[in-house]
Amino acid sequence: MARLALVLLVLLATSPAHAEEVAEHASSRLRYGLSLRDGRQADVGPGLTYEGFTPNDVAAVGTAWLGTSWLGAWAGLQREAFDLREGALRITGGSLWRASVGPRARAFLGPVRAELGAGYGFSQLPHFSDSAEPVFLKGVRHAAVVGGLVRFPLMLGLQLEARGELPVSLSVRDATGARAEAKGFSAGGALLVPLRRAERWTGTLVLDFEHVQDTVTLEDGTQSRQRLRRMGAALELAWHGGVQTTRQVPMPVVVPGSVRFHVLDARTGAPLPGARVMVEGEAHVADAQGLVEVASLSPGPVSAQVTAEGYASAEATATVEEGTRAELEVRAAPLPPPTGALRVTVVDARTGAPLPDIRVSVGTAQGRTDLTGQVVVRDLAPGPVAVAVASSGFRSADEAAVVIAGQESTLSVPLAPEKKGTRATLVGQVRNARGGKPLAATLLITKARVRARTDAKGAFNVQVRGGTYRITISARGHLSQTKVITLREGERTILNVDLFPRGKR
């Protein structure tokens, strides 16, 4: 019994918090199985017993309820079969009937269902005459009976049933009408497996076990004892009229908490207004002080992702406690400024062949060309940048290029060999600084009395004597530029000029 009580406590502890029960109007259970009997009567004869299996034990139980309320009624009918044997030889046999009927009440204790009933019970008990040829007699017991059952929910929709019945106020007569005394009880259990649930009825498989014990003592002292163990399978049909209820075990009240986020610049510690804080799939925007408060959070860890324009995304985790507000500081790191790259190609002005190992200066960065005459300078700030190319045996060249953020710009620089005693040559191109489009421009070299115009591609080619000159480049709708440049005799110098549109610089 202690072990059974422990099992029941475990089942109660592990049962689900929500138990669905069918408030049926009526149910019926039909069972067929085996009976294992252990019985004897002392004076029937030496070696005579009524023990063994009988494979024809049938039982039917029906229950009806007044509407779906707690009060109802039940009725049960059961047949038993057995043999009187001497060793392996069957002497005689027969069958006995049991019946009971009465009112029944039920209650739901959370997920547990309990039923208690009382009523009238009728039983036929085995008895044999003591003649030379034993005759099967049937004693009759009339009694008030009390009984009940308890159902516990298990996992996967299974249920466990425990039940018992006890007869009281016994009245027993043997086959001759003589009075007798009797006592006994029955107890059992079952595992209920759901088979089918429709709109108005349910079907359940019942794997059943029951233990019955009876003792009858006649007036002459003759005593008949039997213990009966029934095992079988049953089909239970319940009609519930489509009405289902759900009972719930009260759950503890959980008071939510909140988190206040402080979003700051990781470098300066300044607040970041307008930052977006994503918590549990919902976005929140920081106020002017960089504060975001998120309420109605369940206790436990909560993660947040913070994003702000110009800053790398940041993540943080806070622990929410019941009914309190947590403080969490989140620092976002600024993104590096956007940069671009410039690819410079240096070639021989006469042949167009690439010139390797030429020193190239782009702003403050320096590098040398590879075997293909190219050098790539990265991480340059967007905007105009000065390019200087110098090498022994060639005339130096100064260029200007425009670096675009996130892109790689290109620039080709031809170098002319150094020459003496010849006129200097100044070549180049005039472009729009806002996109590199060629411009129709005018070059004015006052000292050399030279005024030249660019061609359709914005290119120009001017020859003057060696010396230092001030050159003014102008184009309609653009700001003029003045360059001071020193030209050597026989030197070919390249001058590319980018003019900014008026009012857009």
Side-chain angles (χ1 to χ4, degrees):
M1 293 298 294
R3 291 183 179 179
L4 178 60
L6 178 60
V7 171
L8 295 179
L9 287 175
V10 171
L11 291 173
L12 284 173
T14 57
S15 63
H18 300 271
E20 182 180 282
E21 59 215 32
V22 178
E24 73 271 8
H25 296 298
S27 63
S28 63
R29 181 182 297 183
L30 180 63
R31 184 195 66 193
Y32 184 86
L34 297 174
S35 295
L36 176 62
R37 189 182 304 276
D38 176 12
R40 65 186 63 247
Q41 183 173 315
D43 58 348
V44 174
L48 294 177
T49 62
Y50 43 100
E51 299 178 347
F53 275 108
T54 53
N56 55 349
D57 179 36
V58 180
V61 178
T63 307
W65 302 95
L66 302 179
T68 57
S69 69
W70 59 274
L71 183 61
W74 104 98
L77 180 64
Q78 188 166 285
R79 185 182 76 87
E80 304 168 2
F82 66 94
D83 295 330
L84 178 66
R85 294 179 177 275
E86 182 179 6
L89 180 63
R90 180 179 186 276
I91 303 301
T92 185
S95 61
L96 300 176
W97 291 90
R98 289 175 181 262
S100 58
V101 65
R104 175 170 289 186
R106 69 179 172 186
F108 297 98
L109 308 175
V112 180
R113 172 176 173 170
E115 297 183 11
L116 181 64
Y120 165 75
F122 167 84
S123 299
Q124 291 181 330
L125 304 177
H127 176 62
F128 297 90
S129 70
D130 56 358
S131 61
E133 291 292 336
V135 178
F136 172 49
L137 305 176
K138 299 178 182 179
V140 178
R141 179 179 71 192
H142 302 274
V145 294
V146 294
L149 65 84
V150 181
R151 286 188 184 180
F152 304 90
L154 301 176
M155 61 182 66
L156 303 177
L158 302 178
Q159 289 185 301
L160 184 65
E161 178 184 280
R163 65 180 185 275
E165 185 177 282
L166 178 67
V168 295
S169 302
L170 304 179
S171 173
V172 181
R173 301 250 179 204
D174 63 10
T176 63
R179 294 182 58 84
E181 296 181 358
K183 58 183 179 179
F185 68 91
S186 68
L191 177 65
L192 285 74
V193 182
L195 296 180
R196 177 72 184 274
R197 171 165 295 180
E199 181 180 359
R200 294 185 175 276
W201 62 274
T202 56
T204 305
L205 173 66
V206 183
L207 304 178
D208 188 76
F209 173 80
E210 187 173 24
H211 175 86
V212 179
Q213 187 164 321
D214 292 309
T215 302
V216 179
T217 304
L218 303 181
E219 289 182 333
D220 61 2
T222 301
Q223 192 175 68
S224 174
R225 301 186 303 274
Q226 73 165 345
R227 287 183 300 177
L228 188 66
R229 299 174 181 87
R230 302 188 183 98
M231 296 164 287
L235 176 63
E236 182 178 85
L237 298 178
W239 175 59
H240 50 76
V243 179
Q244 294 185 348
T245 62
T246 301
R247 296 185 179 269
Q248 300 181 355
V249 177
M251 301 297 292
V253 178
V254 178
V255 180
S258 63
V259 179
R260 185 162 68 176
F261 297 90
H262 301 253
V263 186
L264 307 175
D265 187 308
R267 183 179 54 189
T268 64
L272 293 180
R276 291 170 58 86
V277 180
M278 186 70 69
V279 180
E280 294 184 347
E282 185 176 355
H284 306 267
V285 180
D287 60 15
Q289 287 73 41
L291 298 178
V292 170
E293 184 163 351
V294 183
S296 302
L297 295 174
S298 301
V302 60
S303 297
Q305 186 173 23
V306 178
T307 56
E309 186 176 356
Y311 290 81
S313 61
E315 293 186 358
T317 301
T319 300
V320 180
E321 296 183 0
E322 186 175 348
T324 63
R325 184 178 70 184
E327 302 280 343
L328 181 62
E329 187 177 278
V330 184
R331 292 181 174 266
L335 292 172
T339 60
L342 178 64
R343 180 181 296 270
V344 180
T345 303
V346 182
V347 297
D348 190 312
R350 298 168 300 175
T351 64
L355 296 177
D357 199 30
I358 303 297
R359 188 177 72 243
V360 178
S361 299
V362 180
T364 59
Q366 293 187 352
R368 287 188 173 274
T369 58
D370 57 16
L371 294 178
T372 64
Q374 296 184 354
V375 61
V376 179
V377 182
R378 304 186 186 278
D379 299 326
L380 297 174
V385 63
V387 179
V389 181
S391 179
S392 60
F394 291 90
R395 299 172 186 173
S396 300
D398 295 316
E399 296 282 348
V402 177
V403 178
I404 302 175
Q407 298 183 20
E408 182 182 277
S409 303
T410 60
L411 177 66
S412 178
V413 181
L415 291 184
E418 290 184 338
K419 292 182 179 180
K420 301 295 184 179
T422 59
R423 295 172 68 88
T425 302
L426 180 64
V427 298
Q429 185 182 33
V430 181
R431 300 168 297 195
N432 188 321
R434 298 296 185 183
K437 182 178 180 181
L439 295 176
T442 301
L443 279 75
L444 180 61
I445 308 175
T446 304
K447 182 178 179 181
R449 299 180 180 179
V450 173
R451 182 184 182 91
R453 295 280 295 177
T454 60
D455 60 16
K457 295 183 179 179
F460 60 86
N461 188 323
V462 178
Q463 292 186 348
V464 296
R465 293 183 181 275
T468 300
Y469 298 94
R470 181 183 296 274
I471 305 173
T472 301
I473 304 98
S474 60
R476 180 177 297 179
H478 292 73
L479 297 175
S480 300
Q481 289 190 26
T482 300
K483 304 284 187 178
V484 177
I485 189 170
T486 299
L487 303 175
R488 299 176 185 176
E489 295 287 342
E491 184 181 61
R492 187 174 186 271
T493 302
I494 300 174
L495 176 63
N496 291 325
V497 181
D498 293 316
L499 299 182
F500 287 92
R502 292 183 183 275
K504 297 184 179 181
R505 188 173 181 177

